[in-house]
Amino acid sequence: MKLKRFSIGYRTLKTAAGAAIAISLAQLFELDYYVSAGILAILCIQPTKKKSIKAAFSRFIASLIAIAYALVFFEGLAYHPLVLGVLILLFIPLLVSLGFTEGFVSSSVILMHIYDSKNLTGGLFVNELMLMAIGFGTALLVNMYMPSIERKLDSYRSDIEDLYSGIFKEIVVYLRQGDTDWSGKELVEAAEILRKAKALAYQDVENHVTRLENKYYRYFDMREQQFDIIERILPKITALPVMVGHSGLVADFLEDLGEHVHSGNTAQHYINKLEALKADFANLPLPQNHETFLAMASLYQVIQEMETYLQIKQSYKGFHNKKTAEV
């Protein structure tokens, strides 16, 4: 049997620290059921800050509702297993309807305390509130530290730009030689990096409480839209029936484009070049046969797709970059 490599991540470290701190604080205040503070803290340690805050709020509200249910069912009827069963039967649908489903487990901890005590006194109520405050509060404080992932995002950004540049170079080779031994591996790598990068960038958004989005997520979303266009133009190029003079013009443009793939934003520079390319395209001789006509039509479709490619980049503000031309 092959075992996975043993490792301890940040979330594991924070979970261990949060549980230990919460239990220590609950013991310090001499609370009943002090171990439960550690359980509540563990339940609130989440992958991101926003999720942790949402989890703490959801669990706190669910626990308050659980105390209210306990007052009605246990104090109003009896501390009996059947009453507990009916309480849970009615309690879960309410949490679902209110959107606090994830708070059921933590609120159940509070419910069991009350059921075990057989008497919901003011002192027990305060005890449970302090357990919640210590457990949820400790989890929130511990989860405020999140390791920076910008270096990894920058690495993904550099990788995707290198891959796009490589793809354009291979397209240029095909347009000039009519053939290539390119395996297309850059396409597979680019798709995988975009998937990972967008997921990581979204995590970065979730770790900034007041930020709805960030520059990295917008960047990789923009690159993903451009990738769709690259995938669309490849079949048009590889299916060219013949190589025509227009192929060289498109190749020259794509070669220049491929040499200036980076994160700035001066796409207008290449949009102007594309307009000049259209004019040169129109001045070339008309097709003499059907195959030449089809080739010219496909190349013109490539030009139109590349115009969209550049417009997507133009709408993106971009990272600060010292280079003067970009795509």
Side-chain angles (χ1 to χ4, degrees):
M1 182 177 67
K2 186 178 180 180
L3 298 177
K4 292 184 177 180
R5 188 170 67 88
F6 180 80
S7 64
I8 298 177
Y10 281 105
R11 189 178 177 188
T12 301
L13 289 171
K14 288 190 290 186
T15 300
I21 293 170
I23 291 174
S24 298
L25 289 173
Q27 275 187 297
L28 182 64
F29 286 102
E30 298 181 345
L31 299 179
D32 293 332
Y33 310 108
Y34 61 85
V35 175
S36 296
I39 297 174
L40 297 178
I42 290 172
L43 291 171
C44 273
I45 299 293
Q46 300 292 319
T48 66
K49 291 180 183 179
K50 284 185 180 180
K51 287 184 178 179
S52 187
I53 293 172
K54 181 183 176 183
F57 177 75
S58 176
R59 285 160 172 72
F60 182 73
I61 297 298
S63 297
L64 290 180
I65 296 173
I67 293 174
Y69 264 58
L71 180 64
V72 173
F73 284 86
F74 293 153
E75 293 292 327
L77 297 175
Y79 286 85
H80 190 278
L82 288 177
V83 176
L84 175 63
V86 173
L87 186 158
I88 292 174
L89 188 66
L90 298 175
F91 180 54
I92 293 177
L94 178 64
L95 292 184
V96 173
S97 64
L98 294 176
F100 297 133
T101 310
E102 62 180 7
F104 173 69
V105 176
S106 55
S107 60
S108 295
V109 172
I110 305 300
L111 267 178
M112 297 310 161
H113 292 172
I114 299 172
Y115 182 82
D116 179 64
S117 70
K118 299 293 191 291
N119 187 17
L120 180 52
T121 62
L124 180 60
F125 177 69
V126 172
N127 184 87
E128 299 307 302
L129 284 180
M130 290 190 68
L131 283 176
M132 287 187 281
I134 290 172
F136 300 151
T138 299
L140 286 175
L141 288 174
V142 170
N143 228 34
M144 284 301 103
Y145 171 72
M146 290 290 177
S148 176
I149 55 178
E150 285 199 4
R151 182 176 297 180
K152 185 63 176 176
L153 288 169
D154 282 331
S155 175
Y156 281 143
R157 182 161 59 100
S158 177
D159 289 343
I160 203 67
E161 289 166 6
D162 289 342
L163 287 168
Y164 278 26
S165 181
I167 292 169
F168 283 129
K169 287 177 183 177
E170 293 295 340
I171 293 174
V172 169
V173 170
Y174 187 88
L175 286 173
R176 287 179 175 160
Q177 300 178 6
D179 193 16
T180 178
D181 58 357
W182 182 42
S183 65
K185 64 181 181 67
E186 286 87 351
L187 290 169
V188 178
E189 292 175 9
E192 181 63 14
I193 287 176
L194 284 170
R195 183 188 66 80
K196 291 180 180 179
K198 284 194 72 175
L200 191 63
Y202 182 76
Q203 182 180 325
D204 190 48
V205 174
E206 289 285 295
N207 280 331
H208 293 82
V209 179
T210 59
R211 186 189 297 173
L212 297 178
E213 60 175 338
N214 73 359
K215 60 183 180 181
Y216 288 101
Y217 189 84
R218 292 198 310 273
Y219 173 80
F220 290 114
D221 184 61
M222 176 272 296
R223 287 299 187 195
E224 189 175 53
Q225 293 179 55
Q226 287 186 321
F227 186 70
D228 290 339
I229 292 174
I230 291 173
E231 288 189 310
R232 288 205 298 268
I233 68 171
L234 282 170
K236 292 181 174 65
I237 291 173
T238 56
L240 290 175
V242 292
M243 290 296 136
V244 292
H246 306 69
S247 303
L249 293 175
V250 175
D252 291 343
F253 174 79
L254 292 179
E255 182 177 41
D256 189 13
L257 198 68
E259 290 174 352
H260 299 89
V261 178
H262 63 78
S263 308
N265 190 3
T266 56
Q268 186 61 47
H269 172 74
Y270 280 95
I271 290 177
N272 293 339
K273 282 195 170 187
L274 197 63
E275 290 300 321
L277 173 61
K278 286 182 181 179
D280 292 340
F281 203 92
N283 291 330
L284 287 175
L286 294 174
Q288 300 300 313
N289 53 58
H290 184 64
E291 286 188 336
T292 304
F293 172 79
L294 292 177
M296 290 177 61
S298 294
L299 287 171
Y300 195 78
Q301 287 177 345
V302 170
I303 291 174
Q304 289 180 312
E305 291 283 13
M306 291 311 301
E307 185 172 21
T308 304
Y309 175 98
L310 293 169
Q311 288 170 347
I312 290 170
K313 189 62 182 290
Q314 189 179 38
S315 65
Y316 170 75
K317 291 182 179 179
F319 287 77
H320 292 296
N321 200 308
K322 293 181 181 180
K323 296 180 182 180
T324 58
E326 62 74 39
V327 287

